[in-house]
């Protein structure tokens, strides 16, 4: 008879797995770099906004569009606001929108993937056609159209990014579910009378979880980029400053022709760094989880 | 024959996707809050009779299904509606803006595929060398940049700071050229920055996928066999590794079409390139819903159709694919 793993054993097993995972991961320079970058930005978003003030200058024209100085580290924008403060404040919205959209994508992707793979047959065919549609429709036009119709608000941006980004995840989770549901322990669970929901939650979900996690990293990178792009194209909420929104205002005010590089470069660099952070981690995870890519 | 069944199956799927896109397109633009007639007319002071007349004229008093029928019929006749801003049929406006977009995206796509494959092969072959690490890092950085931001950087560097290339547009308005060559030179000058930007946006992924694909192929057993047989260097790469490593590229190029469309919107917006992408941006800014709907439909159908072709091509290139 198969050995029944109780909760405590499972916890020890998990701890052991995590420890061995960390052992390999920690030697991956890229992975550590990504982690450090993301921790820095997370701290910036969490506590940064309490230390800066982002208000229009009252004194008038001489404070407007100033290049970097000792007083304003990254210069000022067209309203005399400190660009550095904008970058710090923008980090919060950018990260929150990106992560919230990621959560929506992952939940939809995981549910559709597991249900589709587990039930199979007609339901699977239907859900996979739906997934195909979302995979093949060009994502930016779709997001722009939805955002334009729903109207500019933070919640809508999150929703739009979230419901366009799940298809790839659903595909991957489904194929993994297909292989897991054939394993003996699932059969055994069914034989002792476990319901479908129980099997999906307690046997399939824990086994596809590493995959969901690895995918989340990549989806998050895309979500952050999407937020920036949508905001830049004017679909963001003009009252909440994100990095994309800063770039939108800068572009619309003609900062490019004016040569106001201090207004255009810092928000972009932040986006690149955060996306790079996620990508590094994703890359490292891939190398840790896929032995084929490891050096022979 | 199996091939015929495969084509029919794929064709059926493609038609289904296009139909669903039509449904989405129809209902998406009708779930908007507010009376569609008022959105159509955009005049708050319209009289009740006029409102009634327009409602009947557009069939908006009918049920949604009847309206959907009208919508399909109009589409079959090539009628995508009337643009608010341009005051012309949407299809005309789209067709007018299509050539510049095709020119820009086509050039950039070809360039990025060729360069991407080349660089990917070099990096994979010299795996672990300084060149590989540098190339890989650069590809990753490029891949992480918002497309429009790459464009902004290029403009600031080459058009504002060094003033080598024009700031925006496809030609200088109001200039006349003595010869076709002068005109061509002007076009190339205007095209250079958007094309380079677009190529930079696309190339990162091609390099990464090509490199990974080649590395994966190189760890296959048949590569070891070839090496044991005494095949070496160039031949090993050209005859044994490349044909197999190229396969994922075909799928990627097709799957990337949606990404290319997204890139076009951003690059054309930054460079004021008079194409479909910029048209979509202006339609968004002006809340020109018929135009927006038309562009969305046009672009989606193009991408879905191209994907269908890529599926067939892939099947032809890799007979192992059975589904």
């Amino acid at each position: 008879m198969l050995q029944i793993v109780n909760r405590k054993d499972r916890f020890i097993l998990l701890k052991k797995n995590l420890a061995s995972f960390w052992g390999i991961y920690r030697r991956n320079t890229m992975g550590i770099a990504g982690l450090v970058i993301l921790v820095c930005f997370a701290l910036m978003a969490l506590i940064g906004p309490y230390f800066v003030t982002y208000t229009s200058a009252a004194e008038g024209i001489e404070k407007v569009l100033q290049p970097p100085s000792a007083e304003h580290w990254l210069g000022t924008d067209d309203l005399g606001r400190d660009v550095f403060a904008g970058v710090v404040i923008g980090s919060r919205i950018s990260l929150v929108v990106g992560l919230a959209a990621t959560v929506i994508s992952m939940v939809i992707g995981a549910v559709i993937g597991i249900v589709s793979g587990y039930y199979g047959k007609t339901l699977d065919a239907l859900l996979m056609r739906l997934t195909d549609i979302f995979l093949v429709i060009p994502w930016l036009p779709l997001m722009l159209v939805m955002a334009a119709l729903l109207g500019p608000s933070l919640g809508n941006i999150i929703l739009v990014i979230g419901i366009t980004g799940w298809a790839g995840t659903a595909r991957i989770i489904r194929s993994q579910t297909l292989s897991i549901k054939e394993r003996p322990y699932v059969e055994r669970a069914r034989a002792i009378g476990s319901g479908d929901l129980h099997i999906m939650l307690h046997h399939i979900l824990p086994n596809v979880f590493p995959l969901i996690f690895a995918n989340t990293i990549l989806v998050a990178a895309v979500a952050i980029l999407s937020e920036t792009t949508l905001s830049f194209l004017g679909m963001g909420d003009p009252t909440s400053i994100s990095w994309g929104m800063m770039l939108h205002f800068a572009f619309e005010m003609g900062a490019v022709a004016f040569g106001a590089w201090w207004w255009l470069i810092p928000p972009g660099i932040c986006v690149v760094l955060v996306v790079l952070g996620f990508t590094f981690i994703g890359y490292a995870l891939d190398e840790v989880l896929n032995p084929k890519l490891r050096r022979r | 024959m199996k091939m015929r069944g495969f084509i029919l199956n794929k064709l059926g799927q493609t038609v289904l996707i296009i139909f669903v896109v039509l449904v989405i397109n129809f209902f998406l633009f009708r779930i908007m809050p507010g009376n569609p007639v008022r959105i159509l007319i955009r005049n708050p002071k319209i009289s009740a009779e006029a409102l009634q007349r327009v409602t009947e004229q557009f069939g908006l008093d009918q049920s949604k299904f009847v309206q959907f029928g009208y919508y399909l019929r109009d589409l079959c006749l090539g009628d995508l509606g009337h643009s608010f801003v341009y005051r012309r049929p949407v299809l005309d406006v789209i067709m007018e803006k299509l050539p510049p977009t095709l020119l820009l995206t086509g050039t950039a796509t070809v360039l990025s595929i060729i360069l991407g494959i080349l660089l990917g092969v070099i990096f994979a072959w010299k795996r672990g060398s300084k060149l590989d690490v540098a190339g890989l890092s650069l590809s990753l950085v490029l891949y992480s940049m918002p497309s429009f931001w790459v464009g902004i950087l290029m403009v600031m560097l080459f058009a504002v700071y060094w003033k080598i290339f024009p700031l925006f547009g496809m030609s200088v308005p109001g200039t006349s050229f003595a010869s076709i060559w002068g005109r061509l030179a002007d076009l190339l000058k205007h095209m250079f920055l958007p094309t380079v930007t677009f190529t930079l946006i696309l190339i990162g992924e091609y390099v990464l996928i090509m490199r990974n694909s080649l590395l994966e192929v190189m760890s296959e057993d048949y590569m070891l066999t070839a090496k044991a047989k005494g095949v070496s260097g160039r031949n090993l790469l050209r005859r044994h590794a490349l044909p197999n490593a190229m396969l994922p590229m075909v799928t990627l190029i097709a799957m990337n079409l949606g990404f290319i469309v997204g890139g076009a919107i951003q690059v054309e917006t930054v460079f004021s390139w008079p194409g479909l992408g910029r048209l979509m941006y202006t339609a968004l800014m002006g809340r020109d819903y018929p135009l927006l709907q038309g562009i969305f439909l046009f672009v989606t159908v193009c991408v879905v159709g191209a994907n269908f072709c890529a599926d067939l091509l892939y099947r032809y290139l890799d007979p192992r694919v059975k589904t």
Side-chain angles (χ1 to χ4, degrees):
Chain A
M1 197 183 145
L2 284 163
Q3 191 197 341
I4 295 170
V5 184
N6 64 31
R7 227 162 256 267
K8 201 180 149 204
D9 283 345
R10 200 183 267 173
F11 181 71
I12 291 168
L13 195 70
L14 184 75
K15 224 168 102 179
K16 226 169 108 189
N17 278 344
L18 274 181
S20 78
F21 171 80
W22 178 242
I24 305 174
Y25 186 89
R26 158 176 100 164
R27 270 171 291 170
N28 194 310
T29 327
M30 240 183 188
I32 293 299
L35 212 57
V36 169
I37 294 174
L38 288 192
V39 167
C40 289
F41 273 101
L43 284 177
M44 179 166 149
L46 272 177
I47 54 175
Y50 300 113
F51 293 96
V52 293
T53 45
Y54 186 62
T55 45
S56 310
E59 292 102 303
I61 200 80
E62 61 270 19
K63 284 278 180 192
V64 164
L65 280 173
Q66 289 301 304
S69 60
E71 192 189 349
H72 298 290
W73 293 349
L74 293 176
T76 58
D77 65 10
D78 63 325
L79 296 174
R81 292 178 295 193
D82 187 58
V83 173
F84 178 74
V87 166
V88 171
I89 288 174
S91 67
R92 190 175 273 187
I93 305 276
S94 292
L95 291 183
V96 165
V97 171
L99 294 182
T102 307
V103 169
I104 295 182
S105 281
M106 294 324 289
V107 170
I108 301 178
V111 168
I112 289 194
I114 291 176
V115 166
S116 187
Y118 182 77
Y119 285 106
K121 298 194 186 88
T122 325
L123 190 61
D124 179 37
L126 273 177
L127 289 176
M128 279 306 108
R129 285 296 83 76
L130 186 72
T131 312
D132 284 346
I133 292 169
F134 271 91
L135 275 176
V136 81
I137 293 181
W139 55 275
L140 187 58
L142 180 65
M143 286 198 292
L144 286 174
V145 163
M146 289 205 294
L149 293 178
L150 289 171
S153 85
L154 230 47
N156 286 343
I157 287 268
I158 293 172
L159 192 71
V160 163
I161 300 174
I163 59 178
T164 42
W166 55 268
T169 310
R171 267 276 184 83
I172 297 170
I173 302 289
R174 172 187 170 263
S175 55
Q176 183 80 355
T177 307
L178 281 179
S179 101
I180 289 169
K181 78 167 177 181
E182 301 300 334
R183 290 191 189 161
Y185 56 80
V186 175
E187 208 174 318
R188 180 189 142 270
R190 201 173 294 131
I192 60 172
S194 307
D196 290 336
L197 191 67
H198 178 89
I199 293 176
M200 281 191 272
L201 278 179
H202 292 267
H203 296 285
I204 292 179
L205 184 64
N207 282 293
V208 294
F209 200 77
L211 208 57
I212 296 180
F213 180 67
N215 234 278
T216 306
I217 305 290
L218 299 174
V219 171
V222 176
I224 301 266
L225 273 178
S226 301
E227 189 278 330
T228 312
T229 309
L230 284 181
S231 298
F232 173 73
L233 291 173
M235 295 297 114
D237 178 358
T239 55
S240 41
I241 293 301
S242 70
W243 295 327
M245 218 57 222
M246 285 182 77
L247 290 169
H248 171 73
F249 287 133
F251 183 73
E252 287 290 307
M253 298 301 163
V256 178
F258 187 82
W261 53 269
W262 59 89
W263 191 8
L264 289 160
I265 290 182
I269 285 186
C270 289
V271 174
V272 174
L273 282 177
V274 170
V275 174
L276 264 183
F278 279 116
T279 317
F280 279 174
I281 293 178
Y283 221 72
L285 282 180
D286 211 29
E287 219 146 286
V288 172
L289 299 175
N290 183 358
K292 238 183 178 179
L293 289 175
R294 244 181 267 160
R295 202 169 185 134
R296 270 204 176 170
Chain B
M1 219 191 113
K2 262 187 180 168
M3 190 69 187
R4 211 169 115 193
F6 170 77
I7 293 177
L8 282 178
N9 187 14
K10 278 283 165 207
L11 194 65
Q13 278 180 27
T14 307
V15 170
L16 182 77
I17 292 179
I18 289 181
F19 182 75
V20 173
V21 169
L22 285 177
V23 175
I24 293 177
N25 207 9
F26 177 80
F27 285 101
L28 208 57
F29 282 83
R30 275 159 187 79
I31 52 160
M32 276 184 297
N35 185 345
V37 181
R38 290 199 177 277
I39 294 168
L40 265 172
I41 298 169
R42 301 213 291 188
N43 178 0
K45 280 183 234 149
I46 187 168
S47 72
E49 297 94 71
L51 197 69
Q52 179 66 27
R53 212 166 50 236
V54 174
T55 307
E56 273 167 27
Q57 192 191 338
F58 283 92
L60 291 170
D61 49 346
Q62 314 263 14
S63 77
K64 282 274 184 288
F65 286 101
V66 176
Q67 284 187 40
F68 187 59
Y70 284 145
Y71 173 70
L72 287 184
R73 188 198 65 195
D74 288 348
L75 278 183
C76 292
L77 297 172
D79 181 4
L80 291 180
H82 238 73
S83 160
F84 292 155
V85 175
Y86 288 83
R87 307 243 163 238
R88 279 164 53 202
V90 166
L91 195 63
D92 288 6
V93 183
I94 291 179
M95 283 306 157
E96 186 188 300
K97 301 285 183 188
L98 188 59
T101 295
L102 287 182
L103 180 68
L104 179 63
T105 50
T107 316
T109 308
V110 172
L111 271 178
S112 59
I113 290 173
I114 295 174
L115 289 176
I117 290 177
L118 222 69
L119 292 175
V121 170
I122 293 172
F123 295 159
W125 206 245
K126 308 243 166 190
R127 183 183 188 180
S129 68
K130 273 190 184 131
L131 186 73
D132 178 35
V133 173
L136 201 66
S137 323
L138 196 65
S139 306
L140 268 178
V141 171
L142 278 174
Y143 188 50
S144 307
M145 287 185 179
S147 308
F148 68 87
W149 194 64
V150 179
I152 287 179
L153 290 186
M154 299 296 284
V155 179
M156 280 206 296
L157 203 60
F158 291 101
V160 177
Y161 190 69
W162 281 327
K163 299 189 170 59
I164 309 174
F165 292 101
L167 208 54
F168 60 83
M170 199 168 159
S171 59
V172 183
T175 43
S176 55
F177 295 100
S179 69
I180 183 106
W181 298 113
R183 206 189 165 124
L184 195 67
D186 185 58
L187 176 67
L188 285 179
K189 224 167 147 185
H190 279 89
M191 221 181 118
F192 187 82
L193 279 186
T195 310
V196 170
T197 305
F198 217 138
T199 309
L200 285 177
I201 295 164
L202 295 175
I203 201 170
E205 199 175 8
Y206 291 139
V207 172
L208 292 179
I209 300 286
M210 191 64 212
R211 178 183 175 275
N212 276 0
S213 165
L214 194 57
L215 283 181
E216 208 147 315
V217 168
M218 289 203 297
S219 71
E220 295 282 350
D221 289 341
Y222 58 76
M223 289 302 288
L224 202 63
T225 313
K227 251 184 231 166
K229 273 196 326 192
V231 185
S232 63
R234 246 165 211 278
N235 256 342
L236 187 68
L237 181 71
R238 234 183 26 223
R239 304 272 301 276
H240 295 263
L242 268 188
N244 289 300
M246 290 285 281
L247 285 172
M249 289 296 283
V250 179
T251 336
L252 182 71
I253 290 164
M255 274 177 58
N256 244 353
L257 274 170
F259 184 71
I260 290 174
V261 169
I265 298 174
Q266 300 176 51
V267 173
E268 289 184 6
T269 301
V270 170
F271 288 94
S272 291
W273 186 260
L276 265 189
R278 187 174 153 69
L279 188 67
M280 183 156 195
Y281 180 68
T282 40
L284 280 170
M285 289 292 109
R287 293 286 185 267
D288 190 344
Y289 291 116
L291 186 57
L292 195 57
Q293 194 178 13
I295 300 171
F296 178 60
L297 184 66
F298 183 84
V299 163
T300 313
V301 169
C302 287
V303 170
V304 173
N307 263 289
F308 169 66
C309 297
D311 275 341
L312 295 192
L313 184 67
Y314 194 78
R315 162 91 179 200
Y316 174 74
L317 291 176
D318 188 357
R320 288 174 302 183
V321 183
K322 281 278 150 63
T323 44

